[in-house]
Amino acid sequence: MESTSQRASVFAQKWVRLLAILAVCGCNFFAHLGALEVGLMEARNFVAAREMAAGGSWLVPTMNGQLRLAKPPLPTWAVATVMKATGNTTDPALLRLPAAAMATLLVLFFWGLTKELTRNAEAEAQAPGRTAWLAALVLGSSLLTITVGREGHWDIFSNSFAVGSLWLLVRGWNRPVGSYTSFVGAGLLLGCTMLSKGPVSLYTIVLPFVAVFAIRWQLGGRAKLRAHWRGAVVAVVIMALIGGAWPVYIWQHVPAVAAAVARTEATSWGDRHVQPLWYYFNFAVFAGVWAVVALAALAVPYARRRAAPFIPYAFALAWLVAALVLLSVVPEKKERYMLPLLPPLALLLTGLLRYWEQEWASRHSQATQADNWLLRGWAGVLVLACLALPVFLGVVRLPSFGFASLPFASALLVFGALAAWVGWSGWTQRRPTVLITASALTMSALMLLLVPVYPLLRARRADAGLRRLAQARTTPSWQQKQWLALDEMHVEQVWAAGRAVPTWAAPADSLPTLPALVFAAAPLAQRLPAAWQGRVRIARTDSFYLGTKRKDGQFFVGVLEPASAPAGQ
């Protein structure tokens, strides 16, 4: 029976679906990009990009004047290109645009991948293309995709290119033997994956997918791989040429440093950010508004027979489990490393969404009590979340979000309307299409209306009156002088400085070019090298705090001049 969403619905049209996906991505990935402070991983990328854009090498990157070879340079190239094109090296909103664009590409790539995986699904003829479109919508509005996609670091680049390569690989496997276009494209994207974060996404995304595809979990998968082995060779060769070009160049030009970095990176997986084996077992929570459906989709006895007509359920579950195992056996773990789990999870829960849509479109012909309670549970969580957000704003009473403010009124109106709609159509009538639409709208409204709340909360918790480097760097006497540090500055402070602040590494009895601006972790009078005593004098001093609280510590800074120079030179 034709689904309600397909009958006379504008959302059956491809261009409308594309606009809807782009609108969701625009709200979730691009809105208020500059609201949050630059984090550690972003600072590393931005500092390296700033030095590239200022005239440094694009093939041998530096960070604060030192070689930065721990990560491949493609994400840094993207940020440096934005800096060169705009002339702006300080605005986080501009510098995060490449990451937001890659997050959008991730959603579009996943849309294409799901379309290829479901082209022969049993129920696909009932609503052609809707399953793939919903899967992309789910991925683009999942919590972890949004948080990673709004940050300017490497993960979103490597994950996006990896999913894109899977789309083209499956597209090639589904085409007649002798067609190589898709495999060439897959090789290009695999090469870009390696240039973004080395082999990491090959291990966490590509390997589990291809392995599961080949081990009979996908109908006809092994036969397709065997028939298209030449295409696979083409993709691997192109990947090696593109992805291996930069490492080979580095090994040829700075072999000693490259070897040291390789040793450090190899050991870091076992001794940094070490977490227990079960650290990633809560991954379903990171689906955000889809978490209730995600948990239901993982309940195999319940979900398998329901989702299987719409998606390759066994394949998606095996892909998810394989990726989870590969991630879990690596000692180093971080929340953002779970992003490779989101595509298979989105595919699984979309199968359940499509089942519910079909059942309610056919007048509840097969709906069970479990289906009813799950839909009501999902609706209840959404209603509570939508009601809690305006209440939270009213309780915390932030500047610009008071009861009489436009932002508060907008949040109250939008989330109140969503709560009423979900309460009536979702809880009472249990309409899955309403719950799907409301879930996507809730995440987009959250990004549009409430992202500015977070920096206001941080500012309120900060100690008042702290001088930070971002403000101190505009001091007139600091300009047109050499900057150097006697103690290594954290990369976030180097980013805040707006320029490189190299650590002084010359012989103790040598002097920098004077006058110079010198940073140290202790007052300069106590920190200056003994060999400098009597040869320099501290003309002016200042200090700044390293965080938003005094307990975060501070750095001291002063202008050094020759001891014989007139005061104030």
Side-chain angles (χ1 to χ4, degrees), residues 251-312:
W251 276 100
Q252 289 178 341
H253 288 76
V254 282
V257 179
V261 169
R263 288 192 296 269
T264 301
E265 289 297 301
T267 58
S268 68
W269 288 92
D271 57 21
R272 288 190 312 195
H273 307 288
V274 175
Q275 300 291 345
L277 190 68
W278 55 86
Y279 182 77
Y280 293 135
F281 285 10
N282 65 340
F283 64 90
V285 175
F286 290 88
V289 291
W290 311 102
V292 172
V293 188
L295 291 170
L298 293 173
V300 178
Y302 168 81
R304 182 169 186 169
R305 69 175 181 84
R306 291 170 167 81
F310 304 93
I311 63 166

Side-chain angles (χ1 to χ4, degrees), residues 179-438:
S179 176
Y180 293 96
T181 304
S182 294
F183 293 108
V184 171
L188 291 172
L189 293 181
L190 288 169
C192 291
T193 299
M194 292 189 66
L195 285 178
S196 298
K197 206 175 179 182
V200 173
S201 291
L202 302 182
Y203 172 78
T204 59
I205 295 180
V206 179
L207 175 60
F209 182 95
V210 174
V212 171
F213 198 94
I215 308 176
R216 299 185 184 277
W217 288 100
Q218 176 71 353
L219 184 63
R222 181 175 296 181
K224 291 178 181 180
L225 291 176
R226 188 182 300 114
H228 290 278
W229 69 270
R230 291 182 180 85
V233 171
V234 169
V236 170
V237 169
I238 294 175
M239 175 191 72
L241 291 174
I242 295 175
W246 182 75
V248 169
Y249 180 87
I250 293 300
W251 276 100
Q252 289 178 341
H253 288 76
V254 282
V257 179
V261 169
R263 288 192 296 269
T264 301
E265 289 297 301
T267 58
S268 68
W269 288 92
D271 57 21
R272 288 190 312 195
H273 307 288
V274 175
Q275 300 291 345
L277 190 68
W278 55 86
Y279 182 77
Y280 293 135
F281 285 10
N282 65 340
F283 64 90
V285 175
F286 290 88
V289 291
W290 311 102
V292 172
V293 188
L295 291 170
L298 293 173
V300 178
Y302 168 81
R304 182 169 186 169
R305 69 175 181 84
R306 291 170 167 81
F310 304 93
I311 63 166
Y313 183 88
F315 169 79
L317 183 63
W319 176 18
L320 175 67
V321 171
L324 177 62
V325 170
L326 290 179
L327 283 168
S328 297
V329 297
V330 177
E332 183 183 15
K333 298 178 177 67
K334 296 179 183 179
E335 286 184 355
R336 71 172 185 274
Y337 291 175
M338 281 189 280
L339 187 57
L341 303 178
L342 264 292
L345 182 63
L347 184 57
L348 286 169
L349 71 89
T350 299
L352 203 51
L353 295 178
R354 290 288 293 118
Y355 167 79
W356 287 337
E357 279 191 332
Q358 289 293 103
E359 287 306 306
W360 262 256
S362 60
R363 301 181 181 179
H364 311 250
S365 60
Q366 299 294 326
T368 65
Q369 186 175 6
D371 297 319
N372 286 303
W373 279 110
L374 279 170
L375 288 170
R376 279 186 168 172
W378 183 14
V381 170
L382 283 176
V383 169
L384 289 176
C386 289
L387 292 177
L389 290 170
V391 172
F392 168 76
L393 290 178
V395 170
V396 297
R397 297 188 179 185
L398 294 168
S400 305
F401 281 87
F403 290 119
S405 67
L406 180 61
F408 179 81
S410 299
L412 183 62
L413 177 63
V414 170
F415 291 109
L418 284 170
W421 187 35
V422 172
W424 173 250
S425 296
W427 174 272
T428 305
Q429 300 181 351
R430 300 181 297 284
R431 294 171 57 188
T433 303
V434 169
L435 293 174
I436 293 169
T437 306

Side-chain angles (χ1 to χ4, degrees), residues 71-97:
K71 298 292 188 294
L74 193 151
T76 312
W77 290 342
V79 177
T81 299
V82 171
M83 290 180 175
K84 294 284 284 186
T86 63
N88 190 316
T89 62
T90 60
D91 185 357
L94 279 176
L95 306 185
R96 287 167 175 153
L97 284 178

Side-chain angles (χ1 to χ4, degrees), residues 125-150:
Q126 298 174 354
R130 182 167 178 82
T131 300
W133 177 65
L134 277 183
L137 185 70
V138 167
L139 184 65
S141 51
S142 293
L143 178 62
L144 188 60
T145 310
I146 295 171
T147 55
V148 176
R150 295 174 60 88

